Amino acid sequence: MFTAYVVVAVLAIAANGFSGVAAIAHFKPILPPMARAGVPESWLTFPIGTLKLAGAVGLLLGLVGVPLIGAAAAIGLILYFVCALYTHIRASDYSAQFGLANGFLALAVAVLALDLAT
């Protein structure tokens, strides 16, 4: 069970870390889908990029021995991606970004479940 937790946590850390950096750097390919979802470009640095990076750092801390921080980070990411899905649904935006948000949510749920099971 611990091996599964490590693998899923590393995947979630990498995915959220990359996504957070891309948002903070205003990576050009993410701008049109964000606009379609009604997300202002000014939100890319804070709260979007900052929260994703904070979640990735929290998951990393949970992986290296601070389990409560890791669980809190997973819960925070779950809440973040539930809100992201809500934003896409309100905008009737079911593009690839909606699918990515579902995948990120599934990763965060899996990390929390495996963390609690170990």
Side-chain angles (χ1 to χ4, degrees):
M1 190 69 77
F2 182 73
T3 303
Y5 165 67
V6 170
V7 169
V8 173
V10 167
L11 270 171
I13 290 164
N16 284 289
F18 174 79
S19 185
V21 168
I24 288 172
H26 293 237
F27 190 50
K28 297 292 180 211
I30 68 171
L31 298 180
M34 290 292 202
R36 262 194 317 274
V39 176
E41 190 174 337
S42 62
W43 287 14
L44 288 176
T45 301
F46 183 83
I48 293 171
T50 305
L51 290 175
K52 287 179 181 179
L53 279 177
V57 169
L59 292 177
L60 181 62
L61 288 172
L63 198 58
V64 298
V66 190
L68 290 178
I69 298 295
I75 292 167
L77 286 169
I78 290 167
L79 293 172
Y80 173 87
F81 286 108
V82 166
C83 291
L85 289 172
Y86 174 74
T87 299
H88 283 279
I89 291 168
R90 276 190 52 121
S92 297
D93 176 38
Y94 302 104
S95 64
Q97 290 244 340
F98 180 74
L100 282 172
N102 277 300
F104 276 82
L105 176 61
L107 267 177
V109 168
V111 169
L112 181 61
L114 289 168
D115 185 19
L116 295 175
T118 57

